[in-house]
Amino acid sequence: MLYDRLAQDLYTEICHIPLIDPHSHIDPRRPAARSLDEILGYHYYTELAHSVGMDQGPLAPGVDARERVRSILYHMAQFDNTVQHQWFLEICRAFFNFQGHRVTLADCAALFDTAEKLMARPDWEEHVLHQSNLEKVFLTNDFDDTLEGFDTSRYVPCLRTDDLVFHLDKPDVQSRLATATRIEPRDLPSLRRAVGTLFEHFTRHGAKACAISLPPDFSPYSVNDQEFATALAALLRKDSQNKALCSVGVFWILAEYCRSFKLPFDLMIGVNRRVYERGVHQGQDLFDQRTSLLQYAKLFNAFPEVPFCISVLSSGQNQELVSHGWIFPNVITSGHWWYSNVPPYIEQDLRARLAAVPKAKQIGYYSDMYKLEFGLPKYNMYRRILAQVLANDFVRPRLYTEAQAVELARLLLRDNVRRIFNV
Amino acid sequence: MLYDRLAQDLYTEICHIPLIDPHSHIDPRRPAARSLDEILGYHYYTELAHSVGMDQGPLAPGVDARERVRSILYHMAQFDNTVQHQWFLEICRAFFNFQGHRVTLADCAALFDTAEKLMARPDWEEHVLHQSNLEKVFLTNDFDDTLEGFDTSRYVPCLRTDDLVFHLDKPDVQSRLATATRIEPRDLPSLRRAVGTLFEHFTRHGAKACAISLPPDFSPYSVNDQEFATALAALLRKDSQNKALCSVGVFWILAEYCRSFKLPFDLMIGVNRRVYERGVHQGQDLFDQRTSLLQYAKLFNAFPEVPFCISVLSSGQNQELVSHGWIFPNVITSGHWWYSNVPPYIEQDLRARLAAVPKAKQIGYYSDMYKLEFGLPKYNMYRRILAQVLANDFVRPRLYTEAQAVELARLLLRDNVRRIFNV
Amino acid sequence: MLYDRLAQDLYTEICHIPLIDPHSHIDPRRPAARSLDEILGYHYYTELAHSVGMDQGPLAPGVDARERVRSILYHMAQFDNTVQHQWFLEICRAFFNFQGHRVTLADCAALFDTAEKLMARPDWEEHVLHQSNLEKVFLTNDFDDTLEGFDTSRYVPCLRTDDLVFHLDKPDVQSRLATATRIEPRDLPSLRRAVGTLFEHFTRHGAKACAISLPPDFSPYSVNDQEFATALAALLRKDSQNKALCSVGVFWILAEYCRSFKLPFDLMIGVNRRVYERGVHQGQDLFDQRTSLLQYAKLFNAFPEVPFCISVLSSGQNQELVSHGWIFPNVITSGHWWYSNVPPYIEQDLRARLAAVPKAKQIGYYSDMYKLEFGLPKYNMYRRILAQVLANDFVRPRLYTEAQAVELARLLLRDNVRRIFNV
């Protein structure tokens, strides 16, 4: 889909770089989709269909998968301009032998059947990984994941900590923590020990990162131990008055363990949860542009040994990210997240990063995918933009040769991930 | 002025789409200008001339129209780089037989005379509409407009509500409301009835929208009735202490009536009034980038049946708009407003919307004009940018055929307006 | 490095315009660098080297200059993608007869020697100015600078006032002020007289501007004299409780003197100092995007006679700057500062300014340099972007002829500086 010859040539070369995807939501025990329904069940399609008028009826558990697919495809005609539609089309063409340029209701039955047949093949997972040139994929594991039953060298564990930081007031989270660690979190010392046990468990199973998503108003600092202990005691007694302070306190503990266990900390900054209350599953979250990386200055100063891989949700904040990545040795720019994972924003955010952040400190892209099939179209989108930016900003102005441009791409797509996460 | 052949071809096709302009300040009883003075009386010219040093003397009522025009043209030499200068030049060339590329003082007399002669023709209004391919134009009517004396199928009424929400403390507004509705707003029930009467009057006369402009710090929610009643009683007693709460309360009433009368609600978000105190008329307002659509989450959740057509004032906030239009079924992206109605910002805002907002939920453009003559150059500006974006982002990458790209333009410029506003 | 023929032609013409650089940190008594060490001592290189892992050892005073240069060059391989690397390469090629496209450790010794030999020539300063087509360079003088011992028609003094506004609580600043003015700042009247004495001294020595950098939360207003006097008395007694009020008060006094001495006031808005506490010298400052020019509305309204030349730190705020420059007669857009002095941001900020701010009110660029050698690569970067924008946005759409485009460039690079600063 590139029409610039130089960019096309660069793209072809870039596609040969084996990918290490440093952030996904893949279920390693069930990494690939098993039907078109699982492809179109990705929240991007359900939320866009809902946005143009589909009610949530077709998404109910009892509904026939074909009916759900038909309903989403029917509504897709109203969002066939979006990049998410392109991803779907590219999946159909790359994996399901689809030849057209639009998937319409008329294609539904045949496409459903073809997909089902192909996806049932025993080598489907391998096939998708191979077609996508994906070598390793990072996961997002609940803190109480056993991390057993899958190949952790292919599917790299990663400790997701949102529950610990933002939902420790929930009895369910407390009991999951107790079960996973055999330590009852009764007070600050036992909580610290429990979290430490999680880090031990995860690193022993090959985890390469700790990760969290954060709301726009989060502003971490080192909480006084006594204050924290008091607030935590109240929280464990179901008194949520000082919940925010506990969140900051637990977050700071995580950073301390990242330091001692030498794990990079992925911070995905800026999401407000459940803004659209009646939205579809995973289609309720938005953001507030009034946020600043200045809120993280204390953190970045306190943990010079921890690499913080930062994703931001708005293109406006990307300039803050560029500047922090330029100044702070421990700030790494990471991928193009969610509402900024759209070509016009990727393009301008990427151009700024390439012009001002040391190339060694940039993680180019991650898929954020739930099913393996999305790696190909998402990375292709990024690789096309990268190829065009390298052509226009580096090769044509004779700053880089084509070979040097491809080397830069290799850093962004592979070598930096390997070095920063130590894989 | 397009130099890309494909974009030029698309532009030519797009120009054939009859326009429905969903927001203007046209006086339907006097829609076209009657002199060059009325053209250059547009605040864009008076404020830019003032910005480069013209004092307000030439704008005084007693000054000869030719003198005022000369003064503005004299200063225009210092802002002939702006897009507003392009609009003026395009008007002169399209409507006044002007052949040059710069309007100088030497052209002033001849241009003034030609304009006066042409504009005096009885078919001038028809001529301008026809040349501009404008089929319908939405108005911005004061709440006490009789809506009589003009063709409401051509000039579509729209209830402008700034006065009710932000100036209800003024005796003048209260008495206008009483006169228009024959209901004295003495308390909350009578105010509700009065506003309901306005909606009846407007919809009976073919109104298709309710509209308001809002400051950056506005954050609506459902005010408790008792609190609101108390605050309102105070306000009507000239005690403005709880004016802000009354604004929110009245705004919420408007949303309720939009729901019951099935009217879309145009929200033009972000303007601070009278920032430059000594500015020319309508040249005093600016904005504050520190604002978020999150402030409207309660509203969007509470009124799922009301289409909210949202304009934002800054390109930074456009990404919030894109994301909200993508997630909330009742959020529509609308036009390119005021300080964002400048080609570089239109281009990047449009690209993001086309990549991420369902095409059915985008209102491409509105003129915001006070005189019909501005429809042509403003829509041409937008159509050129649209044609170029469609060429680069859709046709060249083979996502859309040229015909499909023109169909997308038709949605943005006409069909979505018809469907969303039910015209 | 331009590959577009039209842009290349425009660039060539633009390079003939003799530059007046309206903001730098040149030491007029030692304007050029004397070694490669002084070139690479620019904070851009030390902070980027530190960002990719160089500790601060090589920056210690006792370290051999060649060793320091080797260390920075060694780390430069990890940021050879940045625009700062381009500046360095362009200096080496333009001034040190370097022929390559990468400076590696292998080049270090030869380059160091060549630079040292060339820079020792008595005409080096003249040579650099001539090669760079720099006619005049504005300085940033401490308030107690004698302003003697250099040619003030070439190196134009400028009163830097950060210390007075933000550090008046420091005994050192108070005593420097007393020494420079022979007025002990004991109270508000004596402080006013002292500051007035500085303005007399500076204007008598050819100063053409007053300048200050401001944090993102600064919001000036006219402080009540009595309140200010009380707060100031406390501050001078080392009670810093009302320091912020004193800052605003002193700032307002500066604006008053700018008015009476007819000096433009350069406001460089948005920097947070010492955010990265362990950063290298001058590599510790960042910004917070949550700031607005609305904070300056009172100032702009109160001083219509003072030209405020505004620099902003983030591209997001550039749209506020564009809009304020369009509305306020006394707001001038000025240059591309620090974290926005990166090609992708310059390009979009420049395009918006050219489309919406009167051309007479734009100061295109300043170098911000500490050593003369940086004028050439920094201005070249800007001129290339300017040439490309003029080609695409003005000449190709036939809004301007090539000659008119070059005239616009002359305004931005020279004539506006002359008129606004009266040089």
Side-chain angles (χ1 to χ4, degrees):
Chain A
M1 309 207 273
L2 283 162
Y3 49 91
D4 173 332
R5 183 59 189 267
L6 172 60
Q8 181 62 48
D9 289 349
L10 289 167
Y11 174 73
T12 304
E13 287 305 310
I14 291 169
C15 285
H16 291 139
I17 302 165
L19 300 170
I20 303 177
D21 178 358
H23 178 70
S24 84
H25 296 269
I26 290 294
D27 175 355
R29 298 153 186 114
R30 207 175 177 295
R34 297 191 184 167
S35 68
L36 202 59
D37 186 34
E38 287 193 359
I39 296 290
L40 289 174
Y42 199 10
H43 67 84
Y44 288 100
Y45 303 105
T46 56
E47 73 202 16
L48 283 165
H50 179 62
S51 182
V52 297
M54 187 183 84
D55 67 32
Q56 298 206 32
L59 305 179
V63 176
D64 178 62
R66 282 170 192 267
E67 274 317 297
R68 182 161 39 245
V69 165
R70 280 186 65 84
S71 181
I72 292 171
L73 280 182
Y74 172 79
H75 287 89
M76 197 179 269
Q78 287 178 74
F79 59 87
D80 67 9
N81 58 300
T82 62
V83 69
Q84 289 84 7
H85 174 265
Q86 286 179 44
W87 300 342
F88 178 64
L89 192 65
E90 203 160 350
I91 286 175
C92 292
R93 294 172 60 99
F95 293 122
F96 306 143
N97 308 324
F98 185 73
Q99 310 284 331
H101 279 85
R102 281 285 168 291
V103 182
T104 69
L105 277 184
D107 307 304
C108 187
L111 201 60
F112 193 95
D113 292 340
T114 306
E116 198 160 47
K117 204 172 61 189
L118 292 168
M119 287 167 150
R121 291 190 183 169
D123 67 344
W124 182 250
E125 175 187 347
E126 294 297 331
H127 174 70
V128 173
L129 288 169
H130 181 259
Q131 285 287 99
S132 311
N133 205 5
L134 272 167
E135 186 180 301
K136 291 174 190 292
V137 177
F138 279 46
L139 308 174
T140 294
N141 302 89
D142 284 337
F143 68 79
D144 54 345
D145 193 318
T146 63
L147 306 180
E148 280 164 9
F150 61 91
D151 174 359
T152 59
S153 75
R154 173 180 283 180
Y155 297 114
V156 182
C158 172
L159 172 58
R160 182 68 173 241
T161 55
D162 299 50
D163 284 347
L164 295 172
V165 170
F166 295 110
H167 303 297
L168 193 59
D169 57 319
K170 295 185 182 159
D172 167 55
V173 172
Q174 295 170 22
S175 80
R176 282 170 52 210
L177 181 58
T179 306
T181 63
R182 298 186 189 171
I183 298 170
E184 194 78 38
R186 294 172 189 285
D187 52 17
L188 184 48
S190 57
L191 177 68
R192 271 221 170 86
R193 281 201 313 278
V195 176
T197 302
L198 297 179
F199 273 78
E200 273 169 37
H201 169 70
F202 267 74
T203 50
R204 209 169 46 233
H205 285 80
K208 295 297 183 188
C210 178
I212 191 168
S213 72
L214 299 156
D217 60 357
F218 193 70
S219 197
Y221 58 95
S222 173
V223 180
N224 171 291
D225 252 17
Q226 200 168 344
E227 257 184 280
F228 184 16
T230 309
L232 183 66
L235 194 81
L236 296 171
R237 286 193 317 267
K238 297 178 206 283
D239 169 358
S240 292
Q241 212 181 338
N242 288 309
K243 190 178 157 186
L245 189 141
C246 290
S247 290
V248 170
V250 175
F251 178 86
W252 206 262
I253 289 176
L254 295 172
E256 289 168 345
Y257 280 120
C258 282
R259 179 174 53 198
S260 46
F261 282 86
K262 297 189 193 307
L263 278 192
F265 201 170
D266 291 338
L267 307 184
M268 310 187 78
I269 293 174
V271 61
N272 284 115
R273 301 291 180 184
R274 296 185 189 276
V275 175
Y276 172 37
E277 297 160 8
R278 275 173 290 213
V280 304
H281 178 58
Q282 297 177 323
Q284 308 174 344
D285 306 339
L286 279 157
F287 66 93
D288 182 336
Q289 62 168 344
R290 295 167 304 176
T291 181
S292 176
L293 288 184
L294 190 69
Q295 298 165 208
Y296 293 85
K298 289 195 181 83
L299 181 77
F300 299 152
N301 277 300
F303 297 96
E305 313 85 347
V306 177
F308 292 99
C309 304
I310 310 284
S311 297
V312 293
L313 209 39
S314 76
S315 185
Q317 198 171 20
N318 184 65
Q319 192 178 6
E320 286 194 348
L321 179 53
V322 164
S323 306
H324 282 68
W326 152 357
I327 292 297
F328 275 102
N330 55 339
V331 171
I332 313 287
T333 65
S334 180
H336 298 271
W337 189 34
W338 207 339
Y339 295 112
S340 286
N341 189 25
V342 169
Y345 292 126
I346 296 173
E347 181 187 317
Q348 66 187 39
D349 294 351
L350 175 60
R351 291 186 67 203
R353 292 183 197 176
L354 291 182
V357 180
K359 66 186 183 186
K361 298 183 66 195
Q362 302 186 41
I363 292 172
Y365 197 69
Y366 51 77
S367 74
D368 217 5
M369 64 187 167
Y370 285 75
K371 294 292 173 191
L372 285 185
E373 289 80 358
F374 282 94
L376 182 139
K378 286 183 147 192
Y379 269 100
N380 277 353
M381 171 185 72
Y382 175 74
R383 286 184 288 220
R384 284 186 199 105
I385 298 167
L386 177 61
Q388 190 68 65
V389 169
L390 290 172
N392 292 346
D393 290 1
F394 286 83
V395 180
R396 289 206 166 92
R398 303 200 189 166
L399 302 172
Y400 271 27
T401 62
E402 288 184 53
Q404 287 170 327
V406 174
E407 280 313 297
L408 176 52
R410 185 181 307 275
L411 273 182
L412 300 183
L413 288 166
R414 180 178 177 80
D415 293 350
N416 285 341
V417 177
R418 294 189 63 191
R419 196 187 71 253
I420 291 163
F421 293 103
N422 191 27
V423 293
Chain B
M1 311 207 270
L2 284 162
Y3 49 92
D4 173 332
R5 182 58 189 267
L6 172 59
Q8 180 62 48
D9 289 349
L10 289 167
Y11 174 74
T12 304
E13 286 307 308
I14 290 170
C15 285
H16 291 140
I17 302 166
L19 300 170
I20 303 179
D21 178 358
H23 178 69
S24 83
H25 296 270
I26 290 293
D27 174 354
R29 297 152 187 115
R30 207 174 175 295
R34 296 191 185 166
S35 69
L36 202 60
D37 185 35
E38 287 193 1
I39 296 290
L40 289 175
Y42 199 11
H43 68 83
Y44 289 100
Y45 303 105
T46 56
E47 74 202 15
L48 284 165
H50 179 61
S51 182
V52 296
M54 188 183 82
D55 66 32
Q56 298 207 31
L59 305 178
V63 175
D64 178 62
R66 282 170 192 266
E67 274 317 298
R68 182 160 40 245
V69 165
R70 280 185 66 84
S71 180
I72 292 171
L73 280 183
Y74 172 78
H75 287 89
M76 196 178 269
Q78 288 179 73
F79 60 87
D80 66 11
N81 59 300
T82 62
V83 69
Q84 290 83 8
H85 174 265
Q86 286 179 44
W87 299 343
F88 177 64
L89 191 66
E90 204 161 349
I91 286 176
C92 292
R93 294 172 59 98
F95 293 123
F96 306 143
N97 308 324
F98 184 73
Q99 310 285 330
H101 279 86
R102 281 285 168 291
V103 182
T104 68
L105 277 185
D107 306 303
C108 187
L111 200 62
F112 193 95
D113 292 341
T114 305
E116 196 161 50
K117 205 173 63 190
L118 291 168
M119 287 167 150
R121 289 190 184 167
D123 68 343
W124 181 251
E125 175 187 348
E126 293 298 331
H127 173 70
V128 173
L129 288 169
H130 181 262
Q131 285 286 98
S132 311
N133 205 6
L134 273 167
E135 186 180 300
K136 290 174 191 293
V137 177
F138 280 45
L139 308 174
T140 293
N141 303 89
D142 283 338
F143 68 79
D144 56 344
D145 193 318
T146 63
L147 306 178
E148 280 165 8
F150 62 90
D151 174 0
T152 59
S153 75
R154 172 179 285 179
Y155 296 114
V156 182
C158 173
L159 173 57
R160 181 67 173 243
T161 55
D162 299 49
D163 284 347
L164 295 171
V165 170
F166 296 109
H167 302 297
L168 194 59
D169 57 318
K170 295 185 181 160
D172 168 56
V173 172
Q174 296 170 22
S175 80
R176 283 170 51 208
L177 181 59
T179 305
T181 63
R182 297 185 190 172
I183 298 169
E184 193 79 37
R186 293 174 191 282
D187 51 18
L188 184 48
S190 57
L191 177 69
R192 273 220 169 85
R193 283 202 310 279
V195 175
T197 303
L198 297 179
F199 273 77
E200 274 170 37
H201 170 68
F202 267 75
T203 50
R204 209 167 47 232
H205 285 80
K208 295 296 180 188
C210 178
I212 191 168
S213 73
L214 298 157
D217 61 355
F218 194 71
S219 195
Y221 59 94
S222 173
V223 180
N224 171 289
D225 252 16
Q226 200 167 345
E227 255 184 281
F228 183 14
T230 308
L232 183 66
L235 194 80
L236 297 172
R237 283 194 318 265
K238 298 179 206 285
D239 169 0
S240 291
Q241 213 182 339
N242 289 310
K243 192 179 155 185
L245 188 143
C246 292
S247 290
V248 170
V250 175
F251 178 85
W252 206 263
I253 290 177
L254 294 173
E256 288 169 346
Y257 279 119
C258 282
R259 178 172 57 199
S260 47
F261 282 86
K262 298 189 193 307
L263 278 192
F265 201 171
D266 292 338
L267 307 184
M268 311 187 78
I269 293 173
V271 60
N272 284 114
R273 301 292 180 183
R274 296 187 188 276
V275 175
Y276 173 36
E277 297 160 8
R278 274 172 291 212
V280 303
H281 178 58
Q282 297 177 324
Q284 308 173 344
D285 306 340
L286 279 156
F287 65 93
D288 182 336
Q289 63 168 343
R290 296 167 304 177
T291 181
S292 176
L293 288 183
L294 189 71
Q295 299 164 207
Y296 293 84
K298 290 197 179 83
L299 180 78
F300 300 152
N301 277 298
F303 297 95
E305 314 86 346
V306 177
F308 292 99
C309 304
I310 310 285
S311 298
V312 293
L313 209 38
S314 77
S315 185
Q317 198 171 18
N318 184 65
Q319 192 177 7
E320 286 195 347
L321 179 54
V322 165
S323 307
H324 282 69
W326 152 357
I327 292 297
F328 275 102
N330 54 341
V331 171
I332 314 285
T333 63
S334 180
H336 298 270
W337 190 34
W338 206 338
Y339 295 112
S340 286
N341 188 27
V342 169
Y345 292 126
I346 296 173
E347 181 187 317
Q348 67 185 41
D349 294 351
L350 175 60
R351 293 186 66 204
R353 293 183 196 175
L354 291 181
V357 180
K359 66 186 182 185
K361 297 183 67 197
Q362 301 186 41
I363 292 172
Y365 197 69
Y366 51 76
S367 74
D368 217 5
M369 64 186 166
Y370 286 76
K371 294 294 173 189
L372 284 185
E373 289 80 357
F374 282 94
L376 182 139
K378 286 182 146 191
Y379 269 100
N380 277 354
M381 171 185 71
Y382 176 74
R383 287 184 288 220
R384 283 187 200 105
I385 299 167
L386 177 60
Q388 189 69 63
V389 169
L390 290 171
N392 291 347
D393 289 2
F394 286 84
V395 179
R396 290 208 166 91
R398 300 200 192 164
L399 302 173
Y400 271 28
T401 62
E402 289 185 53
Q404 286 169 327
V406 174
E407 280 313 297
L408 177 51
R410 186 182 306 278
L411 273 182
L412 300 183
L413 287 167
R414 178 179 176 82
D415 292 351
N416 285 342
V417 177
R418 294 189 62 189
R419 196 188 71 254
I420 291 164
F421 293 103
N422 191 29
V423 291
Chain C
M1 309 206 271
L2 283 161
Y3 50 91
D4 173 332
R5 182 59 189 266
L6 172 60
Q8 180 64 47
D9 290 349
L10 288 168
Y11 174 74
T12 304
E13 286 306 308
I14 290 169
C15 285
H16 290 139
I17 301 166
L19 300 170
I20 303 178
D21 177 357
H23 178 69
S24 84
H25 296 269
I26 289 294
D27 174 354
R29 297 154 188 112
R30 207 174 174 294
R34 297 191 185 167
S35 69
L36 202 59
D37 185 36
E38 287 193 0
I39 296 291
L40 289 174
Y42 199 10
H43 68 84
Y44 288 101
Y45 302 104
T46 56
E47 73 202 14
L48 284 164
H50 178 62
S51 181
V52 296
M54 186 184 82
D55 66 32
Q56 299 206 31
L59 305 178
V63 176
D64 177 61
R66 281 171 193 266
E67 274 316 297
R68 181 159 40 243
V69 165
R70 280 185 67 86
S71 180
I72 292 172
L73 280 182
Y74 172 78
H75 287 90
M76 197 178 269
Q78 288 179 73
F79 58 87
D80 66 10
N81 58 300
T82 62
V83 68
Q84 289 84 6
H85 175 265
Q86 286 179 44
W87 300 342
F88 177 65
L89 192 65
E90 204 161 349
I91 286 174
C92 293
R93 295 172 60 97
F95 294 121
F96 307 143
N97 308 324
F98 185 72
Q99 310 284 331
H101 279 85
R102 281 286 168 291
V103 182
T104 68
L105 277 185
D107 307 304
C108 187
L111 201 60
F112 192 95
D113 292 341
T114 307
E116 198 160 47
K117 202 173 65 189
L118 291 169
M119 287 167 151
R121 288 190 184 169
D123 67 342
W124 181 251
E125 174 187 347
E126 293 298 329
H127 174 70
V128 173
L129 288 170
H130 181 260
Q131 285 287 99
S132 310
N133 204 4
L134 272 168
E135 187 180 300
K136 290 173 191 293
V137 178
F138 280 45
L139 308 174
T140 293
N141 302 89
D142 284 338
F143 67 78
D144 55 344
D145 193 318
T146 63
L147 306 179
E148 280 163 10
F150 61 91
D151 174 1
T152 59
S153 75
R154 172 179 285 178
Y155 296 115
V156 182
C158 173
L159 172 58
R160 183 66 174 244
T161 55
D162 298 50
D163 284 345
L164 295 171
V165 170
F166 296 109
H167 303 297
L168 194 59
D169 57 319
K170 296 185 181 159
D172 168 55
V173 172
Q174 295 170 23
S175 81
R176 282 171 52 209
L177 181 58
T179 306
T181 63
R182 299 186 188 171
I183 298 170
E184 193 79 38
R186 295 173 188 284
D187 51 18
L188 185 49
S190 58
L191 177 70
R192 272 220 171 87
R193 280 201 313 278
V195 175
T197 302
L198 297 179
F199 273 77
E200 271 170 39
H201 170 68
F202 268 75
T203 51
R204 210 168 44 232
H205 285 80
K208 296 298 181 186
C210 178
I212 191 168
S213 73
L214 299 156
D217 61 355
F218 193 70
S219 196
Y221 58 95
S222 172
V223 181
N224 171 290
D225 251 18
Q226 201 169 345
E227 256 184 279
F228 184 14
T230 309
L232 183 66
L235 194 79
L236 298 172
R237 285 192 318 264
K238 298 179 206 284
D239 169 359
S240 290
Q241 211 182 339
N242 287 310
K243 191 179 158 187
L245 189 142
C246 290
S247 290
V248 170
V250 175
F251 178 85
W252 207 262
I253 289 177
L254 294 173
E256 288 168 346
Y257 280 119
C258 283
R259 178 172 56 199
S260 46
F261 282 86
K262 298 189 191 310
L263 278 192
F265 201 170
D266 292 337
L267 307 184
M268 310 188 77
I269 293 175
V271 60
N272 284 115
R273 301 292 180 182
R274 297 187 187 275
V275 174
Y276 173 36
E277 297 160 8
R278 274 173 292 212
V280 303
H281 178 58
Q282 297 177 324
Q284 308 174 345
D285 306 338
L286 279 156
F287 65 92
D288 181 336
Q289 62 167 344
R290 296 167 304 175
T291 181
S292 176
L293 288 184
L294 190 70
Q295 298 165 209
Y296 293 85
K298 288 196 181 83
L299 180 78
F300 300 153
N301 277 299
F303 296 95
E305 314 85 344
V306 177
F308 292 101
C309 303
I310 310 285
S311 298
V312 294
L313 210 39
S314 77
S315 185
Q317 196 169 21
N318 184 64
Q319 192 177 8
E320 287 195 347
L321 179 55
V322 165
S323 307
H324 281 70
W326 151 358
I327 292 298
F328 275 101
N330 54 339
V331 171
I332 313 286
T333 64
S334 180
H336 298 270
W337 189 34
W338 207 338
Y339 294 112
S340 285
N341 188 27
V342 169
Y345 292 126
I346 296 173
E347 181 187 317
Q348 68 187 39
D349 294 351
L350 174 61
R351 290 187 68 205
R353 293 183 197 175
L354 290 182
V357 180
K359 65 185 182 186
K361 297 182 66 197
Q362 302 186 40
I363 292 172
Y365 196 69
Y366 51 75
S367 73
D368 218 4
M369 63 187 168
Y370 286 74
K371 294 292 173 190
L372 284 185
E373 289 81 357
F374 282 94
L376 182 141
K378 287 183 147 190
Y379 269 100
N380 277 354
M381 170 185 73
Y382 175 74
R383 286 184 288 219
R384 284 186 199 105
I385 299 167
L386 176 61
Q388 190 68 64
V389 169
L390 289 172
N392 291 347
D393 290 2
F394 285 84
V395 178
R396 289 206 166 92
R398 301 200 191 165
L399 301 173
Y400 271 28
T401 62
E402 289 184 54
Q404 287 170 327
V406 174
E407 281 311 299
L408 176 52
R410 185 182 306 277
L411 273 182
L412 300 183
L413 287 167
R414 179 178 176 82
D415 292 352
N416 285 341
V417 177
R418 293 189 63 189
R419 196 187 71 253
I420 292 164
F421 292 104
N422 190 29
V423 293

